[in-house]
């Protein structure tokens, strides 16, 4: 199997200009809503229409998988938590479930590589992954299957009516491969990308740093081949997320990115489908240091900086109401002419002594 994504078409520039012009005639000083105006313009360009349509089916897809490197003390939690949290997502008890309910989104969890049986195991590529500091995470065939799974899931969601997507993650140990992917593709050193993840102590941090150092040595020789890089240094859940993000862009569907793990998948997805980044919005900046490097690499400015480091899609969902507000402002706010409100004074008619 050869993974090939078709060329990614950028959001519509003509509509972008129409949206900017529309903001200039709404009943407010130009630019007074700051980045909220930029968000609305981005949504309009993604949808290819101005005014944009308010979102009707925001959808969160959480990719779950275990990671062999977790057996070497890089996480504060045991691996069995991954499968337990899948059950918690299904029961509606996780943070992302609560946040999504407030934001008007629905949540789907997919078992891509959980190392136990779950109620959503019909898409499982394998159980867990190899320990990336000493062996490949996946075979190339498994990496390709995972990317194709993510691609199919994106198609399923878009065909099912989703008009904005959020990718989330769940997997004990998954910040370690994520840090490796980001370091490999940004040229960063191991100590620059190591975070506390689930809350590891200093000894755990040192073990994690060593694991990332060793994994990075294995990753750097294959950075020119995105699928091989995923096979060497990720996990089936992260590979599926990369395929999901790339295909969402191919399908011209906006995505709000979450934190470190999704950010790592995103920089690989941009390698798989150049230009995909234009269809993504950074929901927040994670407390994990590698995430800032990923966002800088992608040229994305986060909406929120609340110190989140949970994953699950939580930070992206927290930003979703801002995107919805931005869309409705551009779609529903009155124009000066329509509201009978005087617009900005014409510069040519102002008295010469007018200091403004």
């Amino acid at each position: 199997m050869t993974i090939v994504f078709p060329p990614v078409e950028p959001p519509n520039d003509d509509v972008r200009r129409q949206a900017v012009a529309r903001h200039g005639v709404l009943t407010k000083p130009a630019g007074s809503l700051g980045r909220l105006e930029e968000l609305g313009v981005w949504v309009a360009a993604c949808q290819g229409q101005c005014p944009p349509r308010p979102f009707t089916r925001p959808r969160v897809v959480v990719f779950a998988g275990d990671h062999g490197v977790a057996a070497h003390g890089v996480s504060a939690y045991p691996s069995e938590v991954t499968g337990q949290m899948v059950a918690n997502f299904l029961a509606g008890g996780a943070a992302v479930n609560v946040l999504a309910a407030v934001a008007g989104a629905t949540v789907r969890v997919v078992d891509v590589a959980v190392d136990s049986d779950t109620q959503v195991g019909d898409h499982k590529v394998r159980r867990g992954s190899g320990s990336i500091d000493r062996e490949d995470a996946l075979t190339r065939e498994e990496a390709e299957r995972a990317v194709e799974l993510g691609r199919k899931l994106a198609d399923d969601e878009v065909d099912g009516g989703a008009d904005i997507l959020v990718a989330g993650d769940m997997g004990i140990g998954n910040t370690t491969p994520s840090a490796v992917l980001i370091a490999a593709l940004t040229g960063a050193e191991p100590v620059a990308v190591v975070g506390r993840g689930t809350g590891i102590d200093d000894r755990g941090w040192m073990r994690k740093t060593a694991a990332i150092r060793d994994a990075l040595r294995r990753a750097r020789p294959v950075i020119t081949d995105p699928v091989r890089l995923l096979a060497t240094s990720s996990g089936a859940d992260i590979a599926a997320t990369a395929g999901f993000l790339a295909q969402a862009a191919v399908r011209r569907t906006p995505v709000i990115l979450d934190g470190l793990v999704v950010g790592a998948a995103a920089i690989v997805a941009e390698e798989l489908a150049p230009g995909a980044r234009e269809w993504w919005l950074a929901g927040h900046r994670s407390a994990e240091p590698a995430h800032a490097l990923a966002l800088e690499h992608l040229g994305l400015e986060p909406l929120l900086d609340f110190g989140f480091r949970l994953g699950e899609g939580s930070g992206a969902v927290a930003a979703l109401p801002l995107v919805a507000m931005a869309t409705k402002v551009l779609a529903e706010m009155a124009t000066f002419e329509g509201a009978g409100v005087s617009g900005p004074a014409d510069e040519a008619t102002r008295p010469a002594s007018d200091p403004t």
Side-chain angles (χ1 to χ4, degrees), residues 32-336:
S32 58
L33 287 177
R35 286 198 67 194
L36 215 59
E37 297 187 16
E38 297 172 16
L39 287 178
V41 169
W42 176 76
V43 171
C46 288
Q47 293 183 353
Q49 68 173 62
C50 182
R53 303 180 302 275
F55 298 111
T56 59
R57 196 171 186 271
R59 183 70 155 166
V60 184
V61 180
V62 179
F63 294 83
D66 279 305
H67 296 266
V69 73
H72 304 296
V74 299
S75 175
Y77 287 80
S79 291
E80 55 262 31
V81 168
T82 304
Q84 293 165 356
M85 281 299 299
V86 168
N88 194 26
F89 290 128
L90 294 174
V96 72
N97 296 109
V98 176
L99 296 171
V102 175
T106 56
V107 178
R108 175 184 185 182
V109 59
V110 181
D111 173 359
V112 184
V114 180
D115 195 17
S116 62
D117 294 328
T118 70
Q119 295 181 50
V120 287
D122 52 328
H123 292 298
K124 195 189 293 280
V125 172
R126 59 173 282 171
R127 287 176 174 259
S129 68
S131 186
I132 59 170
D133 56 337
R134 58 199 73 187
E135 61 183 328
D136 287 351
L138 311 165
T139 66
R140 185 175 183 101
E141 188 270 338
E142 288 167 341
E144 292 176 343
R145 281 173 50 207
V147 171
E148 287 297 323
L149 170 61
R151 199 172 185 170
K152 178 183 182 302
L153 291 170
D155 283 338
D156 288 348
E157 295 299 336
V158 174
D159 292 342
D163 48 9
I164 187 166
L165 295 167
V166 169
D169 68 275
M170 181 63 230
I172 298 302
N174 63 7
T175 62
T176 297
S178 298
V180 172
L181 292 172
I182 291 169
L185 289 172
T186 64
E189 292 301 316
V191 292
V193 297
V194 184
R196 297 283 175 172
T198 51
I200 52 176
D201 59 17
D202 289 345
R203 288 181 180 273
W205 186 89
M206 288 188 286
R207 289 191 295 268
K208 186 173 181 178
T209 302
I212 289 173
R213 176 201 64 206
D214 294 344
L216 193 52
R217 287 178 183 148
R218 303 184 72 259
R220 281 184 168 145
V222 299
I223 60 173
T224 59
D225 183 340
V227 176
R228 189 174 175 192
L229 178 62
L230 290 168
T232 302
S233 306
S234 70
D237 51 335
I238 297 173
T241 306
F244 180 85
L245 295 174
Q247 186 65 10
V250 169
R251 294 295 305 272
R252 304 179 62 84
T253 302
V255 178
I256 307 178
L257 301 181
D258 194 42
L260 173 65
V261 179
V262 174
I267 65 172
V268 181
E270 175 66 18
E271 298 291 317
L272 290 167
R277 71 178 77 185
E278 295 191 52
W279 292 89
W280 307 332
L281 176 72
H284 77 117
R285 189 196 320 274
S286 169
E288 289 285 307
H291 189 227
L293 295 174
L295 294 182
E296 182 180 359
H297 183 78
L298 292 168
L300 299 176
E301 183 69 25
L303 289 181
L304 304 176
D305 194 348
F306 281 10
F308 282 24
R309 54 180 177 85
L310 176 62
E312 302 181 3
S314 56
V317 173
L320 178 57
L322 288 174
V323 184
M325 289 176 196
T327 305
K328 287 207 166 193
V329 162
L330 193 53
E332 300 178 7
M333 192 171 175
T335 63
F336 287 111

